[in-house]
Structure formats: structure tokens, C-alpha cells
Amino acid sequence: MPCTGLNCPKPTSLETNNEYSYEKLTQTAEYLKSLISFTPQIGIICGSGLGSLADSIQQKIEVPYPQIPNFPQSTVKGHSGCLVFGYIATVPLVCMKGRFHYYEGYPLEKCAMPVRVMKLLGIELLIVTNAAGGLNPNYKVGDVMLIKDHVNLMGFAGCNPLRGPNEERFGPRFPSMNGAYDPRLRAEAQKIAQGAGLAKGVHEGVYACLGGPCYETIAENRLLRQLGVDTVGMSTVHEVIVAKHCGLPVFAFSLVTNESVCDYESKVEPKHDEVIDAAKSMEAVLQKFVQGIIEFVAKNGVK
Ligand SMILES: O=P(O)(O)O[C@H]1O[C@H](CO)[C@@H](O)[C@H]1O
């Protein structure tokens, strides 16, 4: 029982005050449903410089974020800020050209709220992409790493998108994160990658998200390597946590856009413009790769 003494502040319901309550998210989803005549089956989140993944969408309906009730706004170069609805390989889908990051000033639950909106729209699979630093010494710029697991470093410090009252209509208070990255799609993606021209550079590994916006120090990169992290970025993990919580299977990959420096002699510095350029140079191949995944889902279903 909460304290009922006269001097105790009344407990406020975070749920009813919450900007991202179930009711608010439902409003957002209902608004978006009113613009489309189909149920999206797949949701795609484009990483930095990867917005061109939306180029292969047919019968596009584009909805800029400022037009969407309760939606955050994109503030980062390489994230244009628009939802694109349409079809790839006859599969109805919704694609986020622009995601939200903690360093933009948004709390993690706000960064991840579009995942819940997409769940309410009816998606059955989430495809998450990111630009990332390659920590694994075998990775080169332009390689793709299928994410098999993550290290929720921000979670070690108590930052988690599920912090606060649990919304049972999405999922349980204590969700397991095992199997968050769908193993069947990952196995299939290895074959699909070869067809898309990615044969040499497809790895499977572990991604870690830091809060940013600073890139990691050399000491931090060395530490992350020792922790078994293969790619590092500032996104994805909170989106996947929210997806797993509400029962959405996830297929996710990192594009290695820069090598994470672990050597004090190195003069190499990460730069966001170079991250974007590296992503752009892989546009065509990654479009083909994602299309291959969607074609597989069209033929075989999500489960
Ligand atoms: O993770 P995405 O959105 O692909 O972007 C990555 O690229 C930016 C840094 O260059 C950071 O936002 C980092 O998270």
C-alpha cells in the first residue's frame, strides 16, 4: 500500500501523465491508419545514411514526422524524418526514414515509441538497421554484421526504455531478452546476403549502444572489445528491447561505417559525414539485401 500519511505527496499515476501512454500511442496509430488502406506487416527502421532503403517501396505514402500526432522530430543529419508506407515484394510495410537517439535529448522510451506505434499498426516483424563502428578486428568498412545479441550498456546504468510503470497491454514487467534477434531469419540472411553481393563481408555478432553523442575513446573501444562487443553505435538496443517486450520478432544488422580505433598511435577519427558516406556507398547492395529478406518473409511467413 502507498503511504497515506497527511504529509506524503499523493502518488501520481505515471501512466495517466505519460506522454506515451497506451491511449496516446493508440491515437497516433489511429491517425496513421486513417491515411492507409492496408495493414503493414513489416516495420523497417533506417540507420544513419540508410534512408534509401525506402527507395524500393512501391505505391508510397509518405508522412513527415511533424504531421504525426505525439511523434518526436528527427534532428540528425542522415535521418530525414518521414514514415513511408507501401509495398516491397507485395508485402505491405512501414519504414521509418529517421530514428530517434538518446543524445538528441529524448528519453529512451520516446526514442523507442515508434516501435509500439508500429506494433499497434499491426506489424509482425521489425527490421532494424544501423551504422556502427567495427570493433572486431576482422571487420572492415562496408561489412555487414547480423546482430545476434546486444549489450545494453546504458541499461547497466539504469537507463531502459521500459523503466516506469509496466504497460501490460504491451508485455510483461520482466521480459526475457533471449532470442530477441530472430535466429531463423538470421540463418536465412546469410544465404540472402550472398545473392545480394555481400558474400565476403557478412558476420554475426554483438552490438552495444552507448548514449553518445561523443564517439568512444580508445580506452572505451578497448574495453568494449574485451566485453565481446563487435559493433558499437548509439541506437537499436532500446528499439529491440521494446519490440521483444511486445512480442515482435526482430531482424537487425549493423553496417560497419568506420573502424573503431583501439590504437593510440592511430590518427583516424570517426566523423558523422564519413559514416553517412560509407552508408550511402552501400545503398544499392543493402536495398537488394533487405528486399531479399522481405521476399523470404513473403514466401515463408514471419514464424
Ligand atoms: O545508429 P544510427 O542511427 O544508424 O546512427 C549512428 O550514427 C551516428 C553517429 O555517426 C549515431 O547516431 C549512431 O547511432
Side-chain angles (χ1 to χ4, degrees):
M1 279 290 286
C3 169
T4 52
L6 282 179
N7 294 326
C8 292
K10 280 220 173 85
T12 54
S13 161
L14 281 176
E15 228 160 323
T16 48
N17 291 340
N18 185 351
E19 263 193 281
Y20 295 109
S21 64
Y22 191 88
E23 290 68 26
K24 280 265 162 73
L25 295 171
T26 303
Q27 261 178 16
T28 305
E30 289 305 316
Y31 169 77
L32 292 167
K33 280 182 191 172
S34 75
L35 306 178
I36 52 174
S37 55
F38 56 83
T39 299
Q41 196 188 349
I42 296 180
I44 304 175
I45 304 180
C46 300
S48 284
L50 294 172
S52 64
L53 292 177
D55 290 355
S56 35
I57 298 178
Q58 310 286 313
Q59 299 175 51
K60 284 191 192 111
I61 299 172
E62 300 194 12
V63 191
Y65 293 164
Q67 189 183 315
I68 308 174
N70 314 316
F71 225 65
Q73 303 309 316
S74 283
T75 69
V76 185
K77 189 172 171 192
H79 293 264
S80 61
C82 174
L83 273 190
V84 184
F85 290 92
Y87 296 82
I88 294 181
T90 74
V91 179
L93 48 81
V94 53
C95 178
M96 287 180 70
K97 278 179 83 170
R99 63 145 59 87
F100 309 109
H101 307 83
Y102 186 72
Y103 62 77
E104 293 176 75
Y106 299 127
L108 287 179
E109 89 228 43
K110 192 163 179 169
C111 296
M113 73 74 97
V115 173
R116 286 184 164 178
V117 171
M118 291 191 278
K119 168 78 181 178
L120 291 171
L121 287 173
I123 68 164
E124 295 161 41
L125 170 71
L126 182 65
I127 299 180
V128 185
T129 69
N130 63 54
L135 284 158
N136 187 313
N138 298 322
Y139 294 5
K140 301 277 168 289
V141 171
D143 285 359
V144 165
M145 185 193 83
L146 310 177
I147 304 180
K148 69 172 182 200
D149 205 353
H150 66 228
V151 178
N152 179 13
L153 275 174
M154 297 176 74
F156 286 14
C159 296
N160 191 299
L162 302 178
R163 183 171 173 270
N166 185 50
E167 178 50 78
E168 290 288 331
R169 285 169 285 187
F170 284 115
R173 171 75 291 185
F174 298 110
S176 160
M177 285 295 125
N178 295 349
Y181 298 88
D182 192 83
R184 168 176 164 262
L185 278 178
R186 225 170 49 233
E188 206 53 46
Q190 290 280 8
K191 297 178 216 154
I192 294 167
Q194 290 182 15
L198 279 167
K200 280 197 192 127
V202 176
H203 314 278
E204 281 197 28
V206 174
Y207 174 87
C209 167
L210 277 76
C214 305
Y215 290 108
E216 303 68 48
T217 64
I218 288 169
E220 285 162 353
N221 279 335
R222 289 178 170 200
L223 175 68
L224 289 168
R225 256 194 194 171
Q226 283 182 23
L227 291 177
V229 176
D230 299 294
T231 59
V232 59
M234 308 169 195
S235 70
T236 301
V237 167
H238 34 278
E239 297 157 351
V240 173
I241 288 173
V242 165
K244 180 69 166 67
H245 179 246
C246 67
L248 272 178
V250 172
F251 172 71
F253 67 85
S254 289
L255 172 68
V256 177
T257 53
N258 54 287
E259 286 177 35
S260 298
V261 174
C262 289
D263 171 9
Y264 280 101
E265 301 304 312
S266 171
K267 296 277 179 286
V268 175
E269 295 213 350
K271 293 187 185 69
H272 188 58
D273 281 343
E274 289 175 11
V275 165
I276 290 178
D277 289 347
K280 291 223 168 300
S281 68
M282 291 297 288
E283 269 175 4
V285 176
L286 292 179
Q287 265 181 41
K288 213 168 162 198
F289 177 50
V290 170
Q291 178 146 353
I293 301 287
I294 294 170
E295 280 165 3
F296 174 82
V297 171
K299 266 198 216 123
N300 301 283
V302 171
K303 292 200 177 118

